[in-house]
Amino acid sequence: MSEKEQDNTTHFGFRQIPVDEKVRHVADVFHSVAGKYDLMNDLMSGGVHRLWKRITIERSGARPGQCILDIAGGTGDLTRKFARLVGPAGKVILADINDSMLKVGRDKLINGGTAGNVEYVQANAEALPFADNTFDIITIAFGLRNVTDKDAALRSMQRVLKPGGKLMVLEFSKTQNLALTKLYDFYSFNILPQMGKLIANDAESYRYLAESIRMHPDQETLKEMMEAAGLVNCRFENMTGGVVALHTGIKP
């Protein structure tokens, strides 16, 4: 089922808003948090986001000479590691719809010595500006839940994958334990906005981020959406009790 509702509204956190306004609202959130994004990621997850990303890199099977697309790549954590793995014969494209995030990521990577085999593209995941059958691997980490029409985005990703190419979706998901769920909810809706207020002077953006996690499809639903987009061998791996899940699928 498409994210676009019959009454032409969609969710922004727990609110319903017109479909054509969601991109602007999400952009406002990430313009606001871009400068503190890395710091807040470390604080919010206790640094565990680095482990989730490392597992994603390990599961990717990336190798020299490949072409990789990192969608919603933000500040470039995955891009930096992929650039090292594909080497000078390969290429990594860091794509993000938000120009503030893209600029932070570009500056961070260039200042850190990652430059030669990385390109930067401002792009909407729902209509990727790339030719069919271009990429060996596509990743989208903590970005799919912010996309207005997730089904369209998955179809777009499937289109630009090479046959045999792999899509990897790393995203917050649904916890598998009642006690963990209660603790996670308390943290998300009480602690997280206060951290956002203290560190980034923006409680509302972090309240939205917590709400957007709850509105994201569960593990089985996202797997079915990937299959509906034309991917095969779709599966998911829960991390940290289902707080995060890594979904993978292959283009036939």
Side-chain angles (χ1 to χ4, degrees):
M1 185 174 65
S2 173
E3 281 291 296
K4 187 178 288 187
E5 304 292 343
Q6 288 185 348
D7 60 359
N8 210 34
T9 65
T10 189
H11 59 80
F12 177 74
F14 291 161
R15 295 162 48 201
Q16 286 293 120
I17 62 172
V19 166
D20 57 6
E21 291 184 10
K22 181 163 181 177
V23 169
R24 176 175 60 81
H25 281 283
V26 172
D28 289 344
V29 168
F30 285 93
H31 286 314
S32 174
V33 304
K36 300 282 188 179
Y37 188 79
D38 284 339
L39 173 62
M40 284 297 294
N41 269 357
D42 281 331
L43 292 173
M44 287 187 301
S45 71
V48 180
H49 76 99
R50 298 177 185 275
L51 173 63
W52 299 331
K53 292 170 182 173
R54 186 163 72 240
I55 291 171
T56 301
I57 295 290
E58 290 170 355
R59 300 288 190 272
S60 73
R63 57 184 187 273
Q66 287 189 319
C67 187
I68 297 177
L69 174 62
D70 183 15
I71 300 174
T75 56
D77 285 350
L78 291 179
T79 292
R80 183 177 66 252
K81 293 179 173 64
F82 279 133
R84 212 171 291 139
L85 289 171
V86 303
K91 180 170 70 174
V92 183
I93 294 180
L94 172 58
D96 204 294
I97 194 172
N98 186 279
D99 63 321
S100 295
M101 292 293 290
L102 198 61
K103 287 172 183 173
V104 170
R106 181 186 61 202
D107 291 346
K108 176 183 168 185
L109 292 179
I110 291 173
N111 291 339
T114 302
N117 61 350
V118 176
E119 296 179 9
Y120 305 89
V121 176
Q122 188 171 357
N124 186 334
E126 296 175 27
L128 293 167
F130 307 109
D132 295 1
N133 310 318
T134 296
F135 299 99
D136 297 287
I137 299 167
I138 296 176
T139 57
I140 178 167
F142 306 113
L144 186 61
R145 73 182 189 280
N146 297 309
V147 173
T148 304
D149 191 335
K150 296 175 180 61
D151 295 304
L154 291 168
R155 290 193 299 270
S156 184
M157 294 177 216
Q158 195 267 6
R159 177 184 65 79
V160 301
L161 271 175
K162 294 178 181 177
K166 181 186 292 186
L167 171 63
M168 310 184 76
V169 181
L170 180 66
E171 188 55 89
F172 291 107
S173 200
K174 300 296 184 282
T175 47
Q176 308 298 296
N177 175 281
L178 182 59
L180 177 59
T181 299
K182 289 181 177 179
L183 179 63
Y184 185 39
D185 281 347
F186 178 81
Y187 171 78
S188 298
F189 294 107
N190 294 277
I191 308 299
L192 183 56
Q194 288 305 310
M195 289 173 62
K197 182 177 180 180
L198 288 171
I199 306 300
N201 196 32
D202 187 351
E204 284 304 311
S205 289
Y206 286 92
R207 187 170 291 109
Y208 157 73
L209 292 175
E211 292 176 357
S212 70
I213 291 168
R214 299 310 184 277
M215 298 300 292
H216 188 66
D218 64 22
Q219 288 91 326
E220 287 291 346
T221 302
L222 180 54
K223 177 175 175 284
E224 292 169 2
M225 291 167 66
M226 292 173 66
E227 291 168 344
L231 296 158
V232 299
N233 298 333
C234 297
R235 61 193 67 185
F236 62 86
E237 175 182 354
N238 285 326
M239 304 180 197
T240 317
V243 169
V244 163
L246 174 63
H247 284 70
T248 58
I250 304 297
K251 179 171 179 174

PDB file of all heavy atoms in Angstrom, residues 146-167:
ATOM      1  N   ASN A 146      11.662   8.823   6.731  1.00  0.00           N
ATOM      2  CA  ASN A 146      11.366  10.225   6.449  1.00  0.00           C
ATOM      3  C   ASN A 146      10.850  10.454   5.030  1.00  0.00           C
ATOM      4  O   ASN A 146      10.482  11.577   4.687  1.00  0.00           O
ATOM      5  CB  ASN A 146      12.628  11.076   6.664  1.00  0.00           C
ATOM      6  CG  ASN A 146      13.104  11.042   8.101  1.00  0.00           C
ATOM      7  OD1 ASN A 146      12.337  11.280   9.023  1.00  0.00           O
ATOM      8  ND2 ASN A 146      14.378  10.740   8.305  1.00  0.00           N
ATOM      9  N   VAL A 147      10.835   9.401   4.223  1.00  0.00           N
ATOM     10  CA  VAL A 147      10.383   9.514   2.835  1.00  0.00           C
ATOM     11  C   VAL A 147       8.860   9.520   2.802  1.00  0.00           C
ATOM     12  O   VAL A 147       8.206   8.733   3.495  1.00  0.00           O
ATOM     13  CB  VAL A 147      10.939   8.341   1.997  1.00  0.00           C
ATOM     14  CG1 VAL A 147      10.348   8.351   0.595  1.00  0.00           C
ATOM     15  CG2 VAL A 147      12.465   8.417   1.946  1.00  0.00           C
ATOM     16  N   THR A 148       8.285  10.381   1.981  1.00  0.00           N
ATOM     17  CA  THR A 148       6.828  10.495   1.910  1.00  0.00           C
ATOM     18  C   THR A 148       6.206   9.231   1.342  1.00  0.00           C
ATOM     19  O   THR A 148       5.310   8.635   1.937  1.00  0.00           O
ATOM     20  CB  THR A 148       6.422  11.705   1.046  1.00  0.00           C
ATOM     21  OG1 THR A 148       7.030  12.885   1.581  1.00  0.00           O
ATOM     22  CG2 THR A 148       4.910  11.883   1.037  1.00  0.00           C
ATOM     23  N   ASP A 149       6.658   8.800   0.167  1.00  0.00           N
ATOM     24  CA  ASP A 149       6.114   7.603  -0.491  1.00  0.00           C
ATOM     25  C   ASP A 149       7.196   6.529  -0.508  1.00  0.00           C
ATOM     26  O   ASP A 149       8.035   6.477  -1.415  1.00  0.00           O
ATOM     27  CB  ASP A 149       5.655   7.955  -1.909  1.00  0.00           C
ATOM     28  CG  ASP A 149       4.844   6.827  -2.557  1.00  0.00           C
ATOM     29  OD1 ASP A 149       5.038   5.663  -2.154  1.00  0.00           O
ATOM     30  OD2 ASP A 149       4.037   7.117  -3.457  1.00  0.00           O
ATOM     31  N   LYS A 150       7.193   5.688   0.500  1.00  0.00           N
ATOM     32  CA  LYS A 150       8.241   4.672   0.645  1.00  0.00           C
ATOM     33  C   LYS A 150       8.189   3.649  -0.489  1.00  0.00           C
ATOM     34  O   LYS A 150       9.230   3.163  -0.949  1.00  0.00           O
ATOM     35  CB  LYS A 150       8.116   3.974   2.003  1.00  0.00           C
ATOM     36  CG  LYS A 150       8.347   4.913   3.178  1.00  0.00           C
ATOM     37  CD  LYS A 150       8.088   4.213   4.502  1.00  0.00           C
ATOM     38  CE  LYS A 150       8.310   5.142   5.685  1.00  0.00           C
ATOM     39  NZ  LYS A 150       7.421   6.322   5.670  1.00  0.00           N
ATOM     40  N   ASP A 151       6.989   3.316  -0.949  1.00  0.00           N
ATOM     41  CA  ASP A 151       6.871   2.353  -2.041  1.00  0.00           C
ATOM     42  C   ASP A 151       7.539   2.889  -3.308  1.00  0.00           C
ATOM     43  O   ASP A 151       8.254   2.158  -4.000  1.00  0.00           O
ATOM     44  CB  ASP A 151       5.402   2.040  -2.314  1.00  0.00           C
ATOM     45  CG  ASP A 151       4.736   1.336  -1.143  1.00  0.00           C
ATOM     46  OD1 ASP A 151       5.246   0.282  -0.726  1.00  0.00           O
ATOM     47  OD2 ASP A 151       3.736   1.848  -0.624  1.00  0.00           O
ATOM     48  N   ALA A 152       7.299   4.161  -3.618  1.00  0.00           N
ATOM     49  CA  ALA A 152       7.924   4.761  -4.790  1.00  0.00           C
ATOM     50  C   ALA A 152       9.440   4.787  -4.642  1.00  0.00           C
ATOM     51  O   ALA A 152      10.182   4.545  -5.609  1.00  0.00           O
ATOM     52  CB  ALA A 152       7.397   6.190  -4.996  1.00  0.00           C
ATOM     53  N   ALA A 153       9.922   5.070  -3.441  1.00  0.00           N
ATOM     54  CA  ALA A 153      11.361   5.109  -3.205  1.00  0.00           C
ATOM     55  C   ALA A 153      11.985   3.725  -3.397  1.00  0.00           C
ATOM     56  O   ALA A 153      13.047   3.591  -4.021  1.00  0.00           O
ATOM     57  CB  ALA A 153      11.650   5.624  -1.797  1.00  0.00           C
ATOM     58  N   LEU A 154      11.328   2.695  -2.884  1.00  0.00           N
ATOM     59  CA  LEU A 154      11.858   1.337  -3.050  1.00  0.00           C
ATOM     60  C   LEU A 154      11.881   0.935  -4.526  1.00  0.00           C
ATOM     61  O   LEU A 154      12.833   0.299  -4.994  1.00  0.00           O
ATOM     62  CB  LEU A 154      11.035   0.349  -2.231  1.00  0.00           C
ATOM     63  CG  LEU A 154      11.184   0.483  -0.711  1.00  0.00           C
ATOM     64  CD1 LEU A 154      10.111  -0.346   0.007  1.00  0.00           C
ATOM     65  CD2 LEU A 154      12.575   0.065  -0.246  1.00  0.00           C
ATOM     66  N   ARG A 155      10.854   1.319  -5.271  1.00  0.00           N
ATOM     67  CA  ARG A 155      10.849   1.025  -6.714  1.00  0.00           C
ATOM     68  C   ARG A 155      11.971   1.772  -7.424  1.00  0.00           C
ATOM     69  O   ARG A 155      12.617   1.235  -8.339  1.00  0.00           O
ATOM     70  CB  ARG A 155       9.491   1.399  -7.328  1.00  0.00           C
ATOM     71  CG  ARG A 155       8.334   0.501  -6.910  1.00  0.00           C
ATOM     72  CD  ARG A 155       7.112   0.728  -7.789  1.00  0.00           C
ATOM     73  NE  ARG A 155       6.608   2.094  -7.716  1.00  0.00           N
ATOM     74  CZ  ARG A 155       5.694   2.519  -6.842  1.00  0.00           C
ATOM     75  NH1 ARG A 155       5.193   1.679  -5.948  1.00  0.00           N
ATOM     76  NH2 ARG A 155       5.280   3.763  -6.861  1.00  0.00           N
ATOM     77  N   SER A 156      12.204   3.012  -7.012  1.00  0.00           N
ATOM     78  CA  SER A 156      13.265   3.810  -7.619  1.00  0.00           C
ATOM     79  C   SER A 156      14.638   3.192  -7.346  1.00  0.00           C
ATOM     80  O   SER A 156      15.498   3.123  -8.230  1.00  0.00           O
ATOM     81  CB  SER A 156      13.199   5.244  -7.071  1.00  0.00           C
ATOM     82  OG  SER A 156      14.138   6.084  -7.699  1.00  0.00           O
ATOM     83  N   MET A 157      14.825   2.718  -6.120  1.00  0.00           N
ATOM     84  CA  MET A 157      16.096   2.068  -5.770  1.00  0.00           C
ATOM     85  C   MET A 157      16.273   0.776  -6.565  1.00  0.00           C
ATOM     86  O   MET A 157      17.375   0.489  -7.065  1.00  0.00           O
ATOM     87  CB  MET A 157      16.139   1.778  -4.267  1.00  0.00           C
ATOM     88  CG  MET A 157      16.173   3.018  -3.391  1.00  0.00           C
ATOM     89  SD  MET A 157      16.130   2.571  -1.627  1.00  0.00           S
ATOM     90  CE  MET A 157      15.124   3.906  -0.963  1.00  0.00           C
ATOM     91  N   GLN A 158      15.203  -0.004  -6.680  1.00  0.00           N
ATOM     92  CA  GLN A 158      15.277  -1.245  -7.447  1.00  0.00           C
ATOM     93  C   GLN A 158      15.646  -0.961  -8.903  1.00  0.00           C
ATOM     94  O   GLN A 158      16.447  -1.677  -9.511  1.00  0.00           O
ATOM     95  CB  GLN A 158      13.923  -1.978  -7.368  1.00  0.00           C
ATOM     96  CG  GLN A 158      13.961  -3.428  -7.822  1.00  0.00           C
ATOM     97  CD  GLN A 158      13.609  -3.598  -9.291  1.00  0.00           C
ATOM     98  OE1 GLN A 158      13.439  -2.627 -10.027  1.00  0.00           O
ATOM     99  NE2 GLN A 158      13.522  -4.841  -9.727  1.00  0.00           N
ATOM    100  N   ARG A 159      15.102   0.107  -9.445  1.00  0.00           N
ATOM    101  CA  ARG A 159      15.364   0.461 -10.848  1.00  0.00           C
ATOM    102  C   ARG A 159      16.842   0.730 -11.103  1.00  0.00           C
ATOM    103  O   ARG A 159      17.404   0.277 -12.102  1.00  0.00           O
ATOM    104  CB  ARG A 159      14.527   1.689 -11.235  1.00  0.00           C
ATOM    105  CG  ARG A 159      14.770   2.183 -12.663  1.00  0.00           C
ATOM    106  CD  ARG A 159      13.999   3.446 -12.965  1.00  0.00           C
ATOM    107  NE  ARG A 159      14.438   4.585 -12.158  1.00  0.00           N
ATOM    108  CZ  ARG A 159      15.538   5.314 -12.403  1.00  0.00           C
ATOM    109  NH1 ARG A 159      16.341   5.005 -13.421  1.00  0.00           N
ATOM    110  NH2 ARG A 159      15.845   6.344 -11.635  1.00  0.00           N
ATOM    111  N   VAL A 160      17.490   1.462 -10.203  1.00  0.00           N
ATOM    112  CA  VAL A 160      18.872   1.883 -10.464  1.00  0.00           C
ATOM    113  C   VAL A 160      19.905   0.849  -9.997  1.00  0.00           C
ATOM    114  O   VAL A 160      21.093   1.002 -10.261  1.00  0.00           O
ATOM    115  CB  VAL A 160      19.173   3.271  -9.859  1.00  0.00           C
ATOM    116  CG1 VAL A 160      18.234   4.314 -10.436  1.00  0.00           C
ATOM    117  CG2 VAL A 160      19.117   3.263  -8.340  1.00  0.00           C
ATOM    118  N   LEU A 161      19.454  -0.213  -9.315  1.00  0.00           N
ATOM    119  CA  LEU A 161      20.358  -1.322  -9.002  1.00  0.00           C
ATOM    120  C   LEU A 161      20.679  -2.121 -10.262  1.00  0.00           C
ATOM    121  O   LEU A 161      19.829  -2.292 -11.138  1.00  0.00           O
ATOM    122  CB  LEU A 161      19.718  -2.264  -7.992  1.00  0.00           C
ATOM    123  CG  LEU A 161      19.913  -2.014  -6.502  1.00  0.00           C
ATOM    124  CD1 LEU A 161      19.070  -3.015  -5.716  1.00  0.00           C
ATOM    125  CD2 LEU A 161      21.373  -2.102  -6.082  1.00  0.00           C
ATOM    126  N   LYS A 162      21.885  -2.639 -10.318  1.00  0.00           N
ATOM    127  CA  LYS A 162      22.225  -3.598 -11.359  1.00  0.00           C
ATOM    128  C   LYS A 162      21.544  -4.938 -11.047  1.00  0.00           C
ATOM    129  O   LYS A 162      21.309  -5.252  -9.882  1.00  0.00           O
ATOM    130  CB  LYS A 162      23.737  -3.818 -11.407  1.00  0.00           C
ATOM    131  CG  LYS A 162      24.557  -2.627 -11.831  1.00  0.00           C
ATOM    132  CD  LYS A 162      26.038  -2.970 -11.775  1.00  0.00           C
ATOM    133  CE  LYS A 162      26.898  -1.777 -12.162  1.00  0.00           C
ATOM    134  NZ  LYS A 162      28.355  -2.090 -12.049  1.00  0.00           N
ATOM    135  N   PRO A 163      21.247  -5.740 -12.069  1.00  0.00           N
ATOM    136  CA  PRO A 163      20.786  -7.100 -11.782  1.00  0.00           C
ATOM    137  C   PRO A 163      21.803  -7.818 -10.888  1.00  0.00           C
ATOM    138  O   PRO A 163      23.010  -7.785 -11.154  1.00  0.00           O
ATOM    139  CB  PRO A 163      20.711  -7.740 -13.178  1.00  0.00           C
ATOM    140  CG  PRO A 163      20.458  -6.573 -14.095  1.00  0.00           C
ATOM    141  CD  PRO A 163      21.245  -5.440 -13.513  1.00  0.00           C
ATOM    142  N   GLY A 164      21.316  -8.420  -9.826  1.00  0.00           N
ATOM    143  CA  GLY A 164      22.205  -9.041  -8.849  1.00  0.00           C
ATOM    144  C   GLY A 164      22.684  -8.081  -7.780  1.00  0.00           C
ATOM    145  O   GLY A 164      23.331  -8.498  -6.815  1.00  0.00           O
ATOM    146  N   GLY A 165      22.346  -6.789  -7.929  1.00  0.00           N
ATOM    147  CA  GLY A 165      22.748  -5.783  -6.952  1.00  0.00           C
ATOM    148  C   GLY A 165      21.922  -5.887  -5.679  1.00  0.00           C
ATOM    149  O   GLY A 165      20.824  -6.446  -5.662  1.00  0.00           O
ATOM    150  N   LYS A 166      22.449  -5.303  -4.610  1.00  0.00           N
ATOM    151  CA  LYS A 166      21.853  -5.455  -3.282  1.00  0.00           C
ATOM    152  C   LYS A 166      21.376  -4.117  -2.735  1.00  0.00           C
ATOM    153  O   LYS A 166      22.104  -3.127  -2.755  1.00  0.00           O
ATOM    154  CB  LYS A 166      22.886  -6.048  -2.319  1.00  0.00           C
ATOM    155  CG  LYS A 166      22.369  -6.267  -0.897  1.00  0.00           C
ATOM    156  CD  LYS A 166      23.492  -6.729   0.035  1.00  0.00           C
ATOM    157  CE  LYS A 166      23.988  -8.108  -0.313  1.00  0.00           C
ATOM    158  NZ  LYS A 166      24.973  -8.595   0.694  1.00  0.00           N
ATOM    159  N   LEU A 167      20.130  -4.103  -2.229  1.00  0.00           N
ATOM    160  CA  LEU A 167      19.611  -2.962  -1.474  1.00  0.00           C
ATOM    161  C   LEU A 167      19.688  -3.292   0.014  1.00  0.00           C
ATOM    162  O   LEU A 167      19.286  -4.378   0.436  1.00  0.00           O
ATOM    163  CB  LEU A 167      18.161  -2.663  -1.857  1.00  0.00           C
ATOM    164  CG  LEU A 167      17.444  -1.616  -0.982  1.00  0.00           C
ATOM    165  CD1 LEU A 167      18.118  -0.243  -1.093  1.00  0.00           C
ATOM    166  CD2 LEU A 167      15.970  -1.512  -1.351  1.00  0.00           C
TER     167      LEU A 167
END
